[in-house]
Amino acid sequence: MTGIPLGRRASTVTIKRPEEIALMRRAGGILASILEVLEAELRPGVRTGDLDQIAERMIRDAGATPSFKGYGSNPPFPGSICASINDEVVHGIPSSRRVVADGDIVSIDIGCIVDGWHADCARTFPVGTVADELQQLIDATRRGMEAGIAAAMPGNRLGDIGHAIETVAHRYGYGVVRPFVGHGIGTSMHEEPQVPNYGRPGTGLRIEPGMCFAIEPMFNLGGDEVGVLDDGWTVVTQDGSPSAHFENTIAIGAAGPELLTDR
Ligand code: MG
């Protein structure tokens, strides 16, 4: 789930201990396993509410707690996953009335807590046969995430991450969603700092070992602009163009970033 920029706030970026990162790694492994199952279930005719039920059961069976369910107050998010279809960017509410169709792209975002420590993870999947331009959007958004993670080296700065991500989007002429951002993560899903998907190289917070971030670009086939639907959650592109979203939780090690949302 993305963070929402709230302007300037007191910056308290925490450094995690190895045993704390180990709990986040366990949470991340659970999420990666569940996403593999959801990908296999994601066929034309499936309902996003069914995927949510599978995800919640798997999180609880693993001894973890869903972090999205009940999150926020606009109103509290009702699902354990976000399921965002086509022009929905992020924070789509899973529903038994929402049926996935051949040719759709579906972004699944999922988070859980193990012994008080969070992980947060998202992938965009094609359903059945999708248009080439949609597959290219998915692949580029994944590469944008990978470029952002590669830039998360100790001694680099947050602006290096954002710059690496938006450079990939600009190569394809894609819109980059700016009002929603990546974030620090630990004992809360959303911690300082905000990690925008744009930035100037060499600017912003210096990255240090023990910091943990959720890196999560959202690229649009059309323009940058987005809005929020009346349900208070679902973010959609203003021009109706499709959007993709990838997210991994990482821990900064002395030698570079470690993927925590991995099996
Ligand atoms: Mg997130």
Side-chain angles (χ1 to χ4, degrees), residues 138-214:
I138 291 171
D139 294 342
T141 310
R142 185 193 303 106
R143 281 199 293 276
M145 175 189 66
E146 290 166 354
I149 292 171
M153 294 294 293
N156 279 3
R157 292 180 181 273
L158 280 189
D160 295 314
I161 297 176
H163 179 73
I165 291 170
E166 71 173 341
T167 297
V168 175
H170 292 162
R171 197 176 299 151
Y172 296 88
Y174 294 148
V176 177
V177 175
R178 300 170 82 95
F180 299 89
V181 294
H183 49 92
I185 180 167
T187 52
S188 298
M189 177 160 55
H190 296 138
E191 295 185 354
E192 295 294 330
Q194 297 172 19
V195 185
N197 296 307
Y198 54 90
R200 288 213 324 274
T203 65
L205 177 82
R206 181 195 278 277
I207 298 165
E208 295 175 30
M211 291 179 175
C212 294
F213 303 130

Side-chain angles (χ1 to χ4, degrees), residues 1-3 68 91 109 120-121 181-183 185 189-190 214-216 245 247 249:
M1 191 176 271
T2 71
F68 294 4
H91 305 170
D109 195 344
D120 192 2
C121 187
V181 294
H183 49 92
I185 180 167
M189 177 160 55
H190 296 138
I215 308 283
E216 50 176 324
H245 176 217
E247 174 177 29
T249 298

